[in-house]
Amino acid sequence: MGSPTKSLGVRGAVVMTAVTLAASGCGILGGGPSGNLDVISVSSPRFRDGTPLPHVYSCKGGLGNPPLRWSGTTGAKSVAIVVDDNNARSSAVHWVVFNIDPNTTELGENGVPRGAKQGEGSNGKVGYTAPCQADGSYRFTVYALNTELDLKQGAPLAETLEDIADHTIARGRLTADNIE
């Protein structure tokens, strides 16, 4: 049996998450593709899907975000990345980056693409907040959007997630299970 958020689709799950996050400061960003969403292939030269997140990208490592690569955003007007965890004890959004040029296909280690903006995470801070829970599941999700988001640097989390949900045309995810 699937999770309740899967039946909601991407928009419903993200909006539900935004409301939950706004009300409680935590939540799980999820849901499955619905309708005609295309699939984005997401990878990293530093870890494979389902393997541990290298220690250097955790709160004890100090390197910031891991590098990511993606393909499958043809037709997008912009790209967004959301890093969240799917931990039973403490779900959180660790990073939101949006208005990435649609021709960009990679994100450097500890970097933000030129012209992109960052929104607030669950902790109210702007920028990558490295995960700490060693036995967590961390999701690096890339969204292709049908527009650039009309949001400012540091936009509130709930607003950013809702706008991403409203404009998603494709989605892909790389998951790190635990931290090395």
Side-chain angles (χ1 to χ4, degrees), residues 35-102:
N36 296 323
L37 279 183
D38 288 329
V39 177
I40 298 171
S41 174
V42 184
S43 65
S44 175
R46 296 300 307 253
F47 67 99
R48 295 187 193 284
D49 191 54
T51 63
L53 182 68
H55 182 301
V56 294
Y57 303 112
S58 75
C59 64
K60 296 178 182 172
L63 276 187
N65 66 276
L68 297 175
R69 295 179 181 148
W70 59 87
S71 62
T73 58
T74 304
K77 301 295 185 199
S78 71
V79 173
I81 299 172
V82 176
V83 178
D84 73 304
D85 63 51
N86 187 18
N87 302 321
R89 291 182 288 179
S90 62
S91 298
V93 174
H94 296 276
W95 197 26
V96 180
V97 184
F98 58 94
N99 289 351
I100 298 170
D101 184 298

Side-chain angles (χ1 to χ4, degrees), residues 16-162:
M16 182 179 80
T17 298
V19 171
T20 301
L21 287 166
S24 69
C26 65
I28 297 173
L29 185 65
S34 66
N36 296 323
L37 279 183
D38 288 329
V39 177
I40 298 171
S41 174
V42 184
S43 65
S44 175
R46 296 300 307 253
F47 67 99
R48 295 187 193 284
D49 191 54
T51 63
L53 182 68
H55 182 301
V56 294
Y57 303 112
S58 75
C59 64
K60 296 178 182 172
L63 276 187
N65 66 276
L68 297 175
R69 295 179 181 148
W70 59 87
S71 62
T73 58
T74 304
K77 301 295 185 199
S78 71
V79 173
I81 299 172
V82 176
V83 178
D84 73 304
D85 63 51
N86 187 18
N87 302 321
R89 291 182 288 179
S90 62
S91 298
V93 174
H94 296 276
W95 197 26
V96 180
V97 184
F98 58 94
N99 289 351
I100 298 170
D101 184 298
N103 295 314
T104 299
T105 58
E106 63 182 61
L107 175 71
E109 183 176 82
N110 198 26
V112 176
R114 180 184 302 215
K117 297 177 182 176
Q118 300 178 85
E120 290 181 349
S122 293
N123 63 2
K125 295 180 181 178
V126 176
Y128 181 73
T129 302
C132 285
Q133 191 172 317
D135 61 347
S137 180
Y138 301 98
R139 303 182 294 192
F140 296 78
T141 308
V142 177
Y143 297 91
L145 308 178
N146 62 8
T147 189
E148 279 196 11
L149 301 182
D150 188 22
L151 298 171
K152 296 181 180 182
Q153 173 77 9
L157 181 59
E159 185 177 346
T160 306
L161 294 180
E162 185 171 358

